[in-house]
Amino acid sequence: MPALNTATLATFASHPSSVSLPRYRRDAVHVGVVHLGLGAFHRAHQAMVFDRLLQDGNPRWGVLGVAMRSTELADALKLQDGLYAVQVASAEGLHWQVVGSLCDTCVAAREPGKVVAALAAPATRWVTLTVTEKGYGPALAELLVQGLAARRAAGLDGLTVASCDNLSDNGSKLQRLCLDVAAQQDTALAGWIASRCAFPNSMVDRIVPAATARQRTDAALAFGLDDAGALATEAFWEWVMEDRFADPSDAAVMRAVGVNVVEDVKPFEEAKLRMLNGSHTAMALLGAVQGWPTVADGVARPDVRQFVHGLMTQMVMPHLQRPDLPAYRDALLARFANPALQHKVHQIATDSSLKIPLRWLPTLNDNLQAGQGAEPLAFAAAIWMRYLLAEDEQDRGYAISDPQAEALQTLARAHRGDAQGTVQALLGVASIWGEALLHEERWTRRVTHWLARIQAVGAGAALVEVNALALH
Ligand code: CS2
């Protein structure tokens, strides 16, 4: 079967209304955005927003997609002239969209010079990033700072550097990281970055499961073309950005395509991280332990659904500011239930040691400080400990993908069967839980209680117990 690319797509002339193609001249598009982290999320979120800007006749929003390390997808997309198809699954049915905003790809580890040159190119205006929680280290900042230094040396304007990762204060964190690295080299450079570049905080949302062979087969059926970059996602998307741009006129440009540009993203960011991502992490760990494969499989189980509903309603919502929280919660449950998404629990469970501090801890601390109970998160913490044994309740083993996997699994195994010992050891990991929680006696007691119940009666029966308790 021929591969999807500019030439083969041109032969796809009469297409059904369930397919949309780029209507703009792709050869007139130029790279205005350097994106770091060429994963599924970027390609079904920001790249589709830039595609919409291109559809509206704004040719400066083409993207150079930079994979940080892995070469396979970047190279495959290059052979496809950057084209790939996204299957959007809504309640009304399936729709395919071929995205044209990706002009070129490269791999940072293999071609750092190309990335630096792109950051320093006159036409470049933005950098966007989806490098995951663990990507925010000195190596990332060094790459960015090198590009920004070249830009400054060439006498060019600063850039908007927009982090799109699920971190609290993502823009401010990235700015601090870059300024620290720059200041070590040259204080004038740090001053230039601080005054000429903008690092807006943002909240990004769209559920985009990692692609599987299924999307490639579906794309082949729909187009008669082989698409190594095919993806599936939901219809819903949200991008809330802080009104902080190197070029202030970008605020209106982004608003025109549905981006919510606001003074303060905090209420949106907190609601999303704690409600959506917090529930995701809880379901991912529970699914891994109980052996159900996807989020949709989980919320189809009444007890799991009740648990997630209870976690959000009792523990999370009372400490949030976003308006219309009950509607937000119900919409999330409906999104989780989307059967077309096949969002694997093991994908979401990846890097849980970095996700728990962002997704659960603020909720937990708010509740403990207010003297409120914390049963759902005590249960979730116990499930995480059971998850670390790396085998489900049917004794099927699974791999744990996490920078701390080895150390955490060693602790969990050393205390296997001993709930109190496990809880003391694992809640003592300060990089995840902080220093203070281990001394919150009521909390550690409840985590121990739930781990003991999970060991004694299994996760399913323990879940029924925590749900029953939460009703009172
Ligand atoms: C998920 C997120 O994998 C994960 O950790 O919780 O990727 C989630 O699907 C997105 O943040 C939704 O916007």
Side-chain angles (χ1 to χ4, degrees), residues 20 25 32 34 113 126 167 174 202 241 254 256 267 278 284 288 301 306 330 393 398 411 433 438 440 444 447 452 464:
S20 33
R25 285 200 43 193
V34 176
W126 277 42
L167 308 172
L174 182 59
S202 73
M241 291 188 90
M254 298 309 281
R301 293 169 166 235
Q306 190 188 341
D330 295 345
E393 290 186 326
Y398 50 78
L411 289 177
W433 301 101
L438 195 57
E440 291 276 353
T444 53
V447 181
V464 173

Side-chain angles (χ1 to χ4, degrees), residues 4-33:
L4 168 65
N5 58 38
T6 309
T8 56
L9 192 64
T11 64
F12 191 70
S14 68
H15 53 271
S17 61
S18 58
V19 171
S20 33
L21 307 179
R23 292 189 313 269
Y24 47 92
R25 285 200 43 193
R26 289 191 78 228
D27 52 8
V29 172
H30 52 260
V31 171
V33 181

Side-chain angles (χ1 to χ4, degrees), residues 166 204-207 272 276-277 280 343 348 355 359:
N166 290 320
V204 286
D205 188 8
R206 189 170 216 179
I207 295 174
K272 196 262 175 171
L276 190 160
N277 298 115
H280 253 177
H343 201 187
I348 302 170
K355 292 174 175 174
R359 299 174 177 202

Side-chain angles (χ1 to χ4, degrees), residues 448-467:
T448 310
H449 169 79
W450 289 119
L451 184 58
R453 293 307 293 155
I454 292 163
Q455 288 168 352
V457 298
L463 186 64
V464 173
E465 292 176 5
V466 73
N467 283 342

Side-chain angles (χ1 to χ4, degrees), residues 285-294 301 345-346 392-394 396:
L285 301 170
L286 185 58
V289 168
Q290 289 197 290
W292 36 268
T294 70
R301 293 169 166 235
V345 294
H346 281 287
D392 70 14
E393 290 186 326
Q394 292 78 45
R396 290 175 300 213

Side-chain angles (χ1 to χ4, degrees), residues 122-333:
T124 299
R125 311 173 72 253
W126 277 42
V127 184
T128 51
L129 299 98
T130 52
V131 294
T132 81
E133 294 85 353
K134 59 176 175 269
Y136 286 74
L140 173 69
E142 272 152 27
L143 182 67
L144 284 169
V145 167
Q146 212 184 328
L148 294 173
R151 224 180 150 79
R152 171 169 172 257
L156 295 169
D157 287 337
L159 297 176
T160 293
V161 186
S163 164
C164 302
D165 280 293
N166 290 320
L167 308 172
S168 33
D169 303 316
N170 54 9
S172 311
K173 260 181 200 152
L174 182 59
Q175 181 182 37
R176 258 193 315 275
L177 209 60
C178 289
L179 291 180
D180 283 353
V181 165
Q184 283 161 19
Q185 300 174 10
D186 174 355
T187 48
L189 172 63
W192 183 87
I193 294 174
S195 62
R196 306 287 287 275
C197 295
F199 293 77
N201 289 307
S202 73
M203 181 277 262
V204 286
D205 188 8
R206 189 170 216 179
I207 295 174
V208 192
T212 62
R214 160 102 174 260
Q215 281 78 50
R216 196 162 176 170
T217 313
D218 287 354
L221 285 172
F223 295 94
L225 296 172
D226 181 33
D227 178 6
L231 289 174
T233 188
E234 60 180 343
F236 179 92
W237 68 274
E238 194 175 19
W239 191 356
V240 185
M241 291 188 90
E242 186 184 8
D243 191 353
R244 184 189 289 273
F245 300 96
D247 175 352
S249 70
D250 285 346
V253 174
M254 298 309 281
R255 281 193 182 114
V257 288
V259 175
N260 189 7
V261 181
V262 300
E263 280 305 307
D264 182 14
V265 299
K266 203 74 195 161
F268 299 95
E269 171 216 290
E270 285 186 343
K272 196 262 175 171
L273 268 174
R274 299 186 193 189
M275 298 275 279
L276 190 160
N277 298 115
S279 301
H280 253 177
T281 291
M283 281 189 282
L285 301 170
L286 185 58
V289 168
Q290 289 197 290
W292 36 268
T294 70
V295 170
D297 294 324
V299 287
R301 293 169 166 235
D303 293 335
V304 175
R305 188 186 180 89
Q306 190 188 341
F307 174 76
V308 174
H309 186 281
L311 167 66
M312 292 198 275
T313 310
Q314 293 150 31
M315 283 194 75
V316 187
M317 283 159 54
H319 304 282
L320 294 176
Q321 260 90 55
R322 185 176 171 137
D324 301 326
L325 286 167
Y328 188 67
R329 171 199 61 207
D330 295 345
L332 285 177
L333 287 166

